[in-house]
Amino acid sequence: ALRTQKDLPEAKQNALARFTKQIVEKRGMVSDEDINSFKKAGYTDAQVLELVVGVALNTFTNYINNVARTPVNEQFKAEDWN
């Protein structure tokens, strides 16, 4: 959903995709409105933090792999962004 910009079948999934994109684009500086909208879709404060941790971990590992020039595994090459 994030890559294709297409809606998902469920509103809750769309809220997750939207909030993830907001975290990434705003570099974590999401507004209270962003957080409240995510929580109104059925998510909790703990899930807000889990999502931030997930984005941070993904960013961290991407940076490490970029610096180390780690090759993409063969089974994932079709999904490579480069």
Side-chain angles (χ1 to χ4, degrees):
L2 295 179
R3 212 183 254 199
T4 64
Q5 304 288 318
K6 293 182 181 174
D7 282 341
L8 294 164
E10 296 179 24
K12 190 171 181 177
Q13 292 173 330
N14 284 314
L16 175 61
R18 185 172 42 258
F19 190 57
T20 301
K21 185 175 179 185
Q22 291 168 333
I23 290 171
V24 172
E25 289 179 346
K26 296 178 181 183
R27 298 181 181 192
M29 300 292 289
V30 293
S31 67
D32 289 343
E33 182 181 327
D34 296 333
I35 294 169
N36 290 333
S37 178
F38 181 65
K39 288 169 57 178
K40 282 181 185 175
Y43 293 99
T44 64
D45 286 329
Q47 289 169 317
V48 169
L49 294 178
E50 287 174 11
L51 189 52
V52 171
V53 169
V55 169
L57 181 60
N58 189 278
T59 301
F60 177 71
T61 59
N62 283 343
Y63 284 10
I64 289 172
N65 286 315
N66 289 341
V67 168
R69 308 290 193 266
T70 307
V72 176
N73 292 356
E74 193 63 40
Q75 65 267 37
F76 299 115
K77 284 199 182 223
E79 301 298 323
D80 191 359
W81 287 51
N82 296 321

Coordinates of all heavy atoms in Angstrom, one line a residue:
A1 N 0.8 -1.2 0.0 CA 0.0 0.0 0.0 C 0.9 1.3 0.0 O 0.5 2.2 -0.7 CB -0.9 0.0 1.2
L2 N 2.0 1.2 0.7 CA 2.8 2.4 0.8 C 3.5 2.6 -0.5 O 3.6 3.8 -1.0 CB 3.9 2.3 1.9 CG 3.3 2.2 3.3 CD1 4.5 2.1 4.3 CD2 2.5 3.5 3.6
R3 N 3.9 1.6 -1.2 CA 4.6 1.7 -2.4 C 3.7 2.0 -3.6 O 4.0 2.9 -4.4 CB 5.3 0.4 -2.7 CG 6.6 0.6 -3.5 CD 7.2 -0.8 -3.8 NE 8.4 -1.0 -3.0 CZ 9.3 -1.9 -3.3 NH1 9.2 -2.6 -4.3 NH2 10.3 -2.1 -2.5
T4 N 2.5 1.4 -3.6 CA 1.6 1.6 -4.7 C 0.6 2.7 -4.5 O 0.0 3.2 -5.5 CB 0.8 0.3 -4.9 OG1 -0.1 0.1 -3.8 CG2 1.6 -0.9 -5.2
Q5 N 0.5 3.2 -3.3 CA -0.4 4.3 -3.0 C -1.9 3.9 -3.2 O -2.7 4.8 -3.3 CB -0.1 5.6 -3.8 CG 1.3 6.1 -3.7 CD 1.6 6.7 -2.3 OE1 0.8 7.4 -1.8 NE2 2.8 6.4 -1.8
K6 N -2.2 2.6 -3.2 CA -3.5 2.2 -3.3 C -4.2 1.9 -2.0 O -3.5 1.5 -1.0 CB -3.5 0.9 -4.2 CG -3.1 1.2 -5.6 CD -3.2 -0.1 -6.5 CE -2.7 0.3 -7.9 NZ -2.7 -0.9 -8.7
D7 N -5.5 2.0 -1.9 CA -6.2 1.7 -0.7 C -6.2 0.2 -0.4 O -6.2 -0.6 -1.4 CB -7.6 2.2 -0.8 CG -7.8 3.7 -0.6 OD1 -6.8 4.3 0.0 OD2 -8.8 4.3 -1.0
L8 N -6.2 -0.1 0.8 CA -6.3 -1.5 1.3 C -7.8 -1.8 1.5 O -8.6 -0.9 1.6 CB -5.5 -1.7 2.5 CG -4.0 -1.5 2.3 CD1 -3.3 -1.3 3.6 CD2 -3.4 -2.7 1.6
P9 N -8.1 -3.1 1.7 CA -9.5 -3.5 1.8 C -10.2 -3.0 3.1 O -11.4 -2.9 3.1 CB -9.5 -5.0 1.8 CG -8.1 -5.5 1.5 CD -7.2 -4.3 1.6
E10 N -9.4 -2.8 4.2 CA -10.0 -2.4 5.4 C -9.6 -1.0 5.9 O -8.4 -0.6 5.7 CB -9.7 -3.4 6.5 CG -10.2 -4.8 6.2 CD -9.9 -5.8 7.3 OE1 -9.6 -5.4 8.4 OE2 -9.9 -7.0 7.0
A11 N -10.5 -0.2 6.5 CA -10.1 1.1 6.9 C -9.0 1.1 8.0 O -8.1 2.0 7.9 CB -11.4 1.8 7.5
K12 N -9.0 0.1 8.8 CA -7.9 0.0 9.8 C -6.6 -0.2 9.2 O -5.6 0.4 9.6 CB -8.2 -1.1 10.8 CG -7.3 -1.1 12.0 CD -7.8 -2.1 13.1 CE -6.8 -2.0 14.3 NZ -7.2 -2.9 15.4
Q13 N -6.5 -1.0 8.1 CA -5.3 -1.2 7.4 C -4.8 0.2 6.7 O -3.6 0.5 6.7 CB -5.4 -2.2 6.4 CG -5.6 -3.6 6.9 CD -5.9 -4.6 5.8 OE1 -6.5 -4.3 4.8 NE2 -5.5 -5.9 6.1
N14 N -5.8 0.9 6.2 CA -5.4 2.2 5.6 C -4.9 3.2 6.6 O -4.0 3.9 6.3 CB -6.7 2.7 4.8 CG -6.9 2.0 3.5 OD1 -6.0 1.8 2.8 ND2 -8.2 1.7 3.3
A15 N -5.5 3.1 7.8 CA -5.0 4.0 8.9 C -3.5 3.7 9.2 O -2.7 4.6 9.5 CB -5.9 3.9 10.1
L16 N -3.2 2.4 9.3 CA -1.9 1.9 9.5 C -0.9 2.4 8.4 O 0.2 3.0 8.7 CB -1.8 0.4 9.7 CG -0.5 -0.2 9.9 CD1 0.2 0.2 11.1 CD2 -0.6 -1.7 9.8
A17 N -1.3 2.2 7.2 CA -0.4 2.7 6.1 C -0.3 4.2 6.1 O 0.9 4.7 5.9 CB -1.1 2.2 4.8
R18 N -1.3 4.9 6.3 CA -1.3 6.4 6.4 C -0.4 6.9 7.5 O 0.5 7.7 7.3 CB -2.7 6.9 6.5 CG -2.8 8.4 6.4 CD -4.2 9.0 6.4 NE -5.1 8.3 7.3 CZ -6.0 7.3 6.9 NH1 -6.1 7.0 5.7 NH2 -6.8 6.8 7.8
F19 N -0.5 6.3 8.7 CA 0.3 6.7 9.8 C 1.8 6.4 9.6 O 2.7 7.1 10.0 CB -0.3 6.2 11.1 CG 0.4 6.8 12.4 CD1 0.3 8.1 12.6 CD2 1.0 6.0 13.3 CE1 0.9 8.7 13.7 CE2 1.5 6.5 14.4 CZ 1.5 7.9 14.6
T20 N 2.0 5.2 9.1 CA 3.4 4.8 8.8 C 4.0 5.8 7.8 O 5.2 6.3 8.0 CB 3.4 3.4 8.1 OG1 2.9 2.5 9.0 CG2 4.9 3.0 7.8
K21 N 3.3 6.2 6.8 CA 3.8 7.2 5.8 C 4.0 8.5 6.5 O 5.0 9.2 6.2 CB 2.8 7.3 4.7 CG 3.3 8.2 3.5 CD 2.3 8.2 2.4 CE 2.8 9.1 1.3 NZ 1.9 9.3 0.2
Q22 N 3.2 8.9 7.4 CA 3.3 10.2 8.1 C 4.6 10.2 9.0 O 5.3 11.1 9.0 CB 2.1 10.5 9.0 CG 0.9 10.8 8.2 CD -0.4 10.8 9.0 OE1 -0.5 10.1 10.0 NE2 -1.4 11.6 8.5
I23 N 4.8 9.1 9.6 CA 6.0 8.9 10.5 C 7.3 9.1 9.6 O 8.2 9.8 10.0 CB 6.0 7.6 11.2 CG1 5.0 7.6 12.3 CG2 7.4 7.3 11.9 CD1 4.8 6.2 13.0
V24 N 7.3 8.4 8.5 CA 8.5 8.5 7.6 C 8.6 9.9 7.0 O 9.7 10.4 7.1 CB 8.4 7.4 6.5 CG1 9.4 7.6 5.5 CG2 8.4 6.0 7.1
E25 N 7.6 10.4 6.4 CA 7.7 11.7 5.8 C 8.0 12.8 6.7 O 8.7 13.8 6.4 CB 6.4 12.0 5.0 CG 6.3 11.1 3.7 CD 5.0 11.4 2.9 OE1 4.1 12.1 3.5 OE2 4.9 10.9 1.8
K26 N 7.4 12.7 7.9 CA 7.6 13.8 8.9 C 8.8 13.5 9.8 O 9.0 14.3 10.8 CB 6.3 14.0 9.7 CG 5.2 14.5 8.8 CD 3.9 14.7 9.6 CE 2.8 15.1 8.8 NZ 1.5 15.4 9.6
R27 N 9.5 12.5 9.6 CA 10.7 12.1 10.4 C 10.3 12.0 11.8 O 11.1 12.4 12.7 CB 11.8 13.0 10.1 CG 12.3 13.0 8.7 CD 13.5 13.9 8.4 NE 13.8 13.8 7.0 CZ 14.9 14.2 6.5 NH1 15.8 14.8 7.3 NH2 15.2 14.1 5.2
G28 N 9.2 11.4 12.1 CA 8.7 11.2 13.5 C 8.0 12.4 14.1 O 7.5 12.3 15.2
M29 N 8.0 13.5 13.4 CA 7.4 14.7 14.0 C 5.9 14.8 13.7 O 5.4 15.8 13.1 CB 8.1 16.0 13.5 CG 9.6 16.0 13.8 SD 9.9 16.3 15.6 CE 9.4 17.9 15.8
V30 N 5.2 13.7 14.0 CA 3.8 13.7 13.7 C 3.0 14.6 14.6 O 3.4 14.8 15.7 CB 3.2 12.2 13.7 CG1 3.8 11.4 12.6 CG2 3.5 11.6 15.1
S31 N 1.8 15.0 14.2 CA 1.0 15.9 15.0 C 0.1 15.1 15.9 O -0.1 13.8 15.7 CB 0.1 16.7 14.1 OG -0.8 15.9 13.4
D32 N -0.5 15.8 16.9 CA -1.5 15.1 17.7 C -2.6 14.6 16.9 O -3.2 13.5 17.2 CB -2.0 16.1 18.8 CG -0.9 16.4 19.9 OD1 0.1 15.7 20.0 OD2 -1.1 17.5 20.6
E33 N -3.0 15.4 15.9 CA -4.1 15.0 15.0 C -3.7 13.6 14.3 O -4.6 12.8 14.2 CB -4.4 16.1 14.0 CG -5.5 15.7 13.1 CD -5.8 16.9 12.0 OE1 -5.5 18.0 12.4 OE2 -6.2 16.5 10.9
D34 N -2.5 13.5 13.8 CA -2.1 12.3 13.2 C -2.2 11.1 14.1 O -2.7 10.0 13.8 CB -0.6 12.3 12.7 CG -0.3 13.4 11.7 OD1 -1.3 13.7 10.9 OD2 0.8 13.9 11.6
I35 N -1.7 11.3 15.4 CA -1.8 10.2 16.4 C -3.2 9.9 16.7 O -3.6 8.7 16.8 CB -1.0 10.6 17.6 CG1 0.5 10.7 17.3 CG2 -1.2 9.6 18.7 CD1 1.4 11.3 18.4
N36 N -4.0 10.9 16.9 CA -5.4 10.7 17.3 C -6.2 10.0 16.2 O -7.0 9.1 16.5 CB -6.1 12.0 17.7 CG -5.6 12.5 19.0 OD1 -5.1 11.7 19.9 ND2 -5.6 13.8 19.2
S37 N -5.9 10.3 15.0 CA -6.6 9.7 13.8 C -6.2 8.2 13.8 O -7.1 7.3 13.5 CB -6.2 10.4 12.5 OG -6.7 9.7 11.4
F38 N -5.0 7.9 14.0 CA -4.5 6.5 14.1 C -5.2 5.7 15.2 O -5.7 4.6 15.0 CB -3.0 6.5 14.2 CG -2.4 5.1 14.3 CD1 -2.4 4.3 13.2 CD2 -1.7 4.7 15.4 CE1 -1.8 3.0 13.2 CE2 -1.1 3.4 15.5 CZ -1.1 2.6 14.3
K39 N -5.3 6.3 16.3 CA -5.9 5.7 17.5 C -7.4 5.5 17.3 O -8.0 4.5 17.7 CB -5.6 6.4 18.8 CG -4.1 6.2 19.2 CD -3.6 7.2 20.3 CE -4.4 7.1 21.5 NZ -4.0 7.9 22.6
K40 N -8.1 6.5 16.6 CA -9.5 6.4 16.4 C -9.8 5.2 15.4 O -10.9 4.7 15.4 CB -10.0 7.7 15.8 CG -10.2 8.8 16.8 CD -10.8 10.0 16.1 CE -10.9 11.1 17.2 NZ -11.3 12.4 16.6
A41 N -8.8 4.8 14.7 CA -9.0 3.6 13.8 C -8.9 2.3 14.5 O -9.1 1.3 14.0 CB -7.9 3.7 12.7
G42 N -8.6 2.4 15.8 CA -8.6 1.2 16.7 C -7.3 0.8 17.2 O -7.1 -0.3 17.7
Y43 N -6.3 1.6 17.1 CA -5.0 1.3 17.6 C -4.7 2.0 18.9 O -5.4 2.9 19.3 CB -3.9 1.8 16.6 CG -3.9 1.1 15.3 CD1 -4.6 1.6 14.2 CD2 -3.3 -0.2 15.1 CE1 -4.7 0.9 13.0 CE2 -3.4 -0.9 14.0 CZ -4.1 -0.4 12.9 OH -4.1 -1.1 11.7
T44 N -3.7 1.5 19.6 CA -3.4 1.9 21.0 C -2.1 2.8 21.1 O -1.4 2.8 20.1 CB -3.2 0.7 21.9 OG1 -2.1 0.0 21.5 CG2 -4.5 -0.2 21.9
D45 N -1.9 3.4 22.2 CA -0.6 4.1 22.4 C 0.6 3.2 22.2 O 1.6 3.5 21.7 CB -0.6 4.7 23.8 CG -1.5 5.9 24.0 OD1 -1.7 6.6 23.0 OD2 -2.0 6.2 25.1
A46 N 0.4 1.9 22.7 CA 1.5 1.0 22.6 C 1.8 0.7 21.1 O 2.9 0.5 20.7 CB 1.2 -0.3 23.3
Q47 N 0.7 0.6 20.3 CA 0.9 0.3 18.9 C 1.5 1.5 18.2 O 2.2 1.4 17.2 CB -0.4 -0.1 18.3 CG -0.8 -1.5 18.7 CD -2.2 -1.9 18.4 OE1 -3.1 -1.1 18.5 NE2 -2.4 -3.1 17.9
V48 N 1.3 2.8 18.7 CA 2.0 3.9 18.1 C 3.5 3.7 18.3 O 4.3 3.9 17.4 CB 1.5 5.2 18.8 CG1 2.4 6.4 18.4 CG2 0.0 5.5 18.5
L49 N 3.9 3.4 19.5 CA 5.3 3.2 19.8 C 5.9 2.0 19.0 O 7.0 2.1 18.5 CB 5.5 3.0 21.3 CG 5.2 4.2 22.1 CD1 5.4 3.9 23.6 CD2 6.0 5.4 21.7
E50 N 5.1 0.9 18.9 CA 5.6 -0.2 18.1 C 5.8 0.2 16.6 O 6.8 -0.3 16.0 CB 4.5 -1.4 18.1 CG 4.5 -2.1 19.4 CD 3.3 -3.1 19.5 OE1 2.7 -3.4 18.4 OE2 3.0 -3.6 20.6
L51 N 5.0 1.0 16.1 CA 5.1 1.4 14.7 C 6.4 2.3 14.6 O 7.2 2.2 13.6 CB 3.9 2.2 14.2 CG 3.8 2.5 12.8 CD1 4.1 1.2 11.9 CD2 2.5 3.1 12.4
V52 N 6.6 3.2 15.5 CA 7.8 4.0 15.5 C 9.1 3.1 15.6 O 10.0 3.4 14.8 CB 7.8 5.1 16.6 CG1 9.1 5.8 16.7 CG2 6.7 6.1 16.4
V53 N 9.0 2.2 16.5 CA 10.2 1.2 16.6 C 10.4 0.5 15.3 O 11.5 0.3 14.8 CB 10.0 0.3 17.7 CG1 11.0 -0.9 17.7 CG2 10.1 1.0 19.1
G54 N 9.3 0.1 14.6 CA 9.4 -0.7 13.4 C 10.0 0.2 12.3 O 10.9 -0.2 11.5
V55 N 9.6 1.5 12.2 CA 10.1 2.4 11.2 C 11.6 2.7 11.5 O 12.5 2.7 10.6 CB 9.3 3.7 11.1 CG1 10.0 4.8 10.3 CG2 7.9 3.4 10.6
A56 N 11.9 2.9 12.7 CA 13.3 3.2 13.1 C 14.2 2.0 12.8 O 15.3 2.1 12.3 CB 13.4 3.5 14.6
L57 N 13.8 0.8 13.1 CA 14.6 -0.4 12.9 C 14.8 -0.6 11.4 O 15.9 -0.9 10.9 CB 13.9 -1.7 13.5 CG 14.6 -3.0 13.3 CD1 16.0 -2.9 13.9 CD2 13.8 -4.1 13.9
N58 N 13.8 -0.4 10.6 CA 13.9 -0.5 9.2 C 14.9 0.5 8.6 O 15.7 0.2 7.8 CB 12.5 -0.4 8.5 CG 12.6 -0.7 7.0 OD1 12.9 0.2 6.2 ND2 12.2 -1.9 6.7
T59 N 14.8 1.7 9.1 CA 15.7 2.8 8.7 C 17.1 2.4 9.0 O 18.1 2.5 8.2 CB 15.3 4.1 9.3 OG1 14.0 4.5 8.9 CG2 16.2 5.3 8.9
F60 N 17.3 2.0 10.3 CA 18.6 1.6 10.8 C 19.3 0.5 9.9 O 20.4 0.6 9.5 CB 18.5 1.2 12.2 CG 19.7 0.7 12.9 CD1 20.7 1.6 13.2 CD2 19.9 -0.7 13.2 CE1 21.9 1.1 13.8 CE2 21.0 -1.1 13.8 CZ 22.0 -0.2 14.2
T61 N 18.5 -0.5 9.7 CA 19.1 -1.6 8.9 C 19.3 -1.2 7.4 O 20.3 -1.7 6.8 CB 18.2 -2.9 9.0 OG1 16.9 -2.6 8.5 CG2 18.1 -3.4 10.4
N62 N 18.4 -0.4 6.9 CA 18.7 0.1 5.5 C 20.0 0.9 5.4 O 20.7 0.7 4.5 CB 17.5 0.9 5.0 CG 16.3 0.1 4.6 OD1 16.4 -1.1 4.4 ND2 15.2 0.8 4.5
Y63 N 20.2 1.7 6.4 CA 21.4 2.5 6.4 C 22.7 1.6 6.5 O 23.6 1.8 5.8 CB 21.4 3.5 7.5 CG 20.6 4.8 7.4 CD1 19.7 4.9 6.3 CD2 20.7 5.8 8.2 CE1 18.9 6.0 6.2 CE2 19.9 6.9 8.1 CZ 19.0 7.0 7.1 OH 18.2 8.1 6.9
I64 N 22.6 0.7 7.4 CA 23.7 -0.3 7.5 C 24.0 -1.0 6.2 O 25.1 -1.1 5.8 CB 23.5 -1.3 8.7 CG1 23.6 -0.5 10.0 CG2 24.5 -2.4 8.6 CD1 23.2 -1.3 11.2
N65 N 22.9 -1.5 5.6 CA 23.1 -2.3 4.4 C 23.5 -1.4 3.2 O 24.3 -1.8 2.4 CB 21.8 -3.0 4.0 CG 21.5 -4.2 4.9 OD1 22.4 -5.0 5.2 ND2 20.3 -4.3 5.4
N66 N 23.1 -0.1 3.2 CA 23.6 0.8 2.2 C 25.1 1.1 2.3 O 25.8 1.0 1.3 CB 22.8 2.1 2.2 CG 21.4 1.9 1.7 OD1 21.0 1.0 1.0 ND2 20.5 2.9 2.1
V67 N 25.5 1.3 3.5 CA 27.0 1.6 3.8 C 27.8 0.3 3.5 O 28.9 0.4 2.9 CB 27.2 2.1 5.2 CG1 28.6 2.1 5.6 CG2 26.5 3.5 5.4
A68 N 27.3 -0.8 3.9 CA 28.0 -2.1 3.8 C 28.0 -2.6 2.3 O 28.6 -3.6 2.0 CB 27.5 -3.1 4.7
R69 N 27.1 -2.0 1.5 CA 26.9 -2.5 0.1 C 26.4 -3.9 0.1 O 26.9 -4.7 -0.7 CB 28.1 -2.3 -0.7 CG 28.8 -1.0 -0.7 CD 27.9 0.0 -1.5 NE 28.6 1.3 -1.8 CZ 28.6 2.4 -1.0 NH1 27.9 2.4 0.1 NH2 29.3 3.5 -1.4
T70 N 25.5 -4.3 1.0 CA 25.0 -5.6 1.1 C 24.1 -5.9 -0.1 O 23.2 -5.1 -0.4 CB 24.1 -5.8 2.4 OG1 24.9 -5.3 3.5 CG2 23.6 -7.2 2.6
P71 N 24.4 -7.0 -0.8 CA 23.6 -7.3 -2.0 C 22.2 -7.8 -1.6 O 22.0 -8.4 -0.5 CB 24.4 -8.4 -2.7 CG 25.2 -9.0 -1.6 CD 25.5 -7.9 -0.6
V72 N 21.2 -7.5 -2.4 CA 19.9 -7.9 -2.2 C 19.8 -9.4 -2.4 O 20.3 -9.9 -3.4 CB 18.9 -7.1 -3.1 CG1 17.5 -7.7 -2.9 CG2 18.9 -5.7 -2.8
N73 N 19.1 -10.1 -1.5 CA 19.0 -11.6 -1.7 C 18.2 -11.8 -3.0 O 17.3 -11.1 -3.4 CB 18.2 -12.2 -0.6 CG 18.9 -12.2 0.7 OD1 20.1 -11.8 0.8 ND2 18.3 -12.6 1.8
E74 N 18.6 -12.9 -3.7 CA 18.0 -13.2 -5.0 C 16.5 -13.2 -5.0 O 15.8 -12.7 -5.9 CB 18.5 -14.5 -5.5 CG 18.3 -14.8 -6.9 CD 18.9 -13.8 -7.9 OE1 20.1 -13.4 -7.7 OE2 18.3 -13.4 -8.9
Q75 N 15.9 -13.8 -3.9 CA 14.4 -14.0 -3.8 C 13.7 -12.6 -3.6 O 12.5 -12.5 -3.8 CB 14.0 -15.0 -2.8 CG 14.4 -14.6 -1.3 CD 15.7 -15.1 -0.9 OE1 16.6 -15.2 -1.6 NE2 15.8 -15.5 0.4
F76 N 14.5 -11.5 -3.3 CA 13.8 -10.2 -3.1 C 14.2 -9.2 -4.2 O 13.8 -8.1 -4.1 CB 14.3 -9.7 -1.7 CG 13.8 -10.5 -0.6 CD1 14.8 -11.1 0.2 CD2 12.5 -10.7 -0.3 CE1 14.4 -11.9 1.3 CE2 12.1 -11.5 0.8 CZ 13.0 -12.1 1.6
K77 N 15.0 -9.6 -5.2 CA 15.4 -8.7 -6.2 C 14.2 -8.0 -7.0 O 14.3 -6.9 -7.4 CB 16.3 -9.4 -7.2 CG 17.7 -9.6 -6.6 CD 18.8 -9.8 -7.6 CE 20.0 -10.1 -6.9 NZ 21.2 -9.4 -7.4
A78 N 13.1 -8.7 -7.1 CA 12.0 -8.1 -7.8 C 11.4 -7.0 -7.1 O 10.7 -6.1 -7.6 CB 10.9 -9.2 -8.1
E79 N 11.7 -6.9 -5.7 CA 11.1 -5.8 -4.9 C 12.1 -4.7 -4.6 O 11.9 -3.8 -3.9 CB 10.7 -6.4 -3.6 CG 9.6 -7.5 -3.7 CD 8.3 -7.0 -4.3 OE1 7.9 -5.8 -4.0 OE2 7.7 -7.7 -5.0
D80 N 13.3 -4.8 -5.2 CA 14.4 -3.9 -5.0 C 14.0 -2.5 -5.5 O 13.4 -2.4 -6.6 CB 15.7 -4.3 -5.7 CG 16.9 -3.5 -5.3 OD1 16.8 -2.6 -4.5 OD2 18.0 -3.9 -5.8
W81 N 14.2 -1.5 -4.8 CA 13.8 -0.1 -5.1 C 14.9 0.5 -6.1 O 14.6 1.6 -6.6 CB 13.7 0.8 -3.9 CG 12.4 0.5 -3.1 CD1 12.0 -0.8 -2.7 CD2 11.4 1.3 -2.7 NE1 10.9 -0.7 -2.0 CE2 10.5 0.6 -2.0 CE3 11.3 2.7 -2.8 CZ2 9.4 1.2 -1.4 CZ3 10.2 3.3 -2.2 CH2 9.2 2.5 -1.5
N82 N 16.0 0.0 -6.2 CA 17.1 0.6 -7.0 C 17.0 0.3 -8.4 O 16.6 -0.7 -8.9 CB 18.5 0.1 -6.5 CG 18.7 0.6 -5.1 OD1 18.3 1.8 -4.7 ND2 19.3 -0.2 -4.2

